[in-house]
């Protein structure tokens, strides 16, 4: 796995989630992790995204992204996460 390409893919995935409308973002919280395989430079890279509440106040959503792929000697794994603040009125409706 080309680490720089896989990491760039993770960042694009996280930015896409950051740009979601708040109701769509909140709909992801509590769901099972989404998983898919993307080809990057001819290599299959598994992408997993999981959205959870940052804490009990439900003031922010934490999105964790994982990239998993083959390398020459071992299976590689990258992880990155972002925290997205949400309005108190939106999180109160959950």
């Amino acid at each position: 796995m080309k680490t720089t390409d896989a990491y760039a893919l993770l960042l694009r995935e996280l930015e896409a989630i950051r740009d979601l409308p708040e109701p769509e973002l909140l709909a992801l919280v509590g769901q099972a992790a989404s998983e898919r395989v993307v080809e990057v430079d001819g290599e299959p890279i598994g992408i997993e995204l999981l959205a959870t509440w940052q804490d009990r106040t439900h003031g922010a959503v934490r999105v964790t992204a994982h990239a998993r792929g083959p390398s020459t000697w071992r299976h590689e794994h990258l992880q990155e996460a972002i925290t997205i603040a949400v309005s108190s009125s939106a999180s109160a409706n959950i």
Side-chain angles (χ1 to χ4, degrees):
M1 175 169 79
K2 295 180 181 169
T3 305
T4 54
D5 294 339
Y7 192 75
L9 175 62
L10 278 185
L11 294 180
R12 285 192 306 272
E13 294 286 330
L14 289 171
E15 286 302 316
I17 289 178
R18 183 189 305 268
D19 292 340
L20 287 175
E22 196 168 80
E24 289 181 36
L25 172 65
L26 294 177
L28 297 175
V29 175
Q31 299 296 316
S34 67
E35 297 180 33
R36 62 191 175 94
V37 175
V38 178
E39 287 237 355
V40 177
D41 290 331
E43 293 181 311
I45 305 294
I47 299 294
E48 178 183 299
L49 299 167
L50 178 65
T52 59
W53 289 114
Q54 175 68 22
D55 58 31
R56 293 175 146 188
T57 66
H58 293 185
V61 174
R62 181 169 179 83
V63 181
T64 306
H66 297 269
R68 294 180 177 89
S71 73
T72 304
W73 297 104
R74 66 187 187 289
H75 185 80
E76 288 188 310
H77 173 243
L78 298 173
Q79 177 179 325
E80 189 61 51
I82 58 171
T83 301
I84 305 165
V86 295
S87 65
S88 58
S89 62
S91 62
N93 295 329
I94 299 293

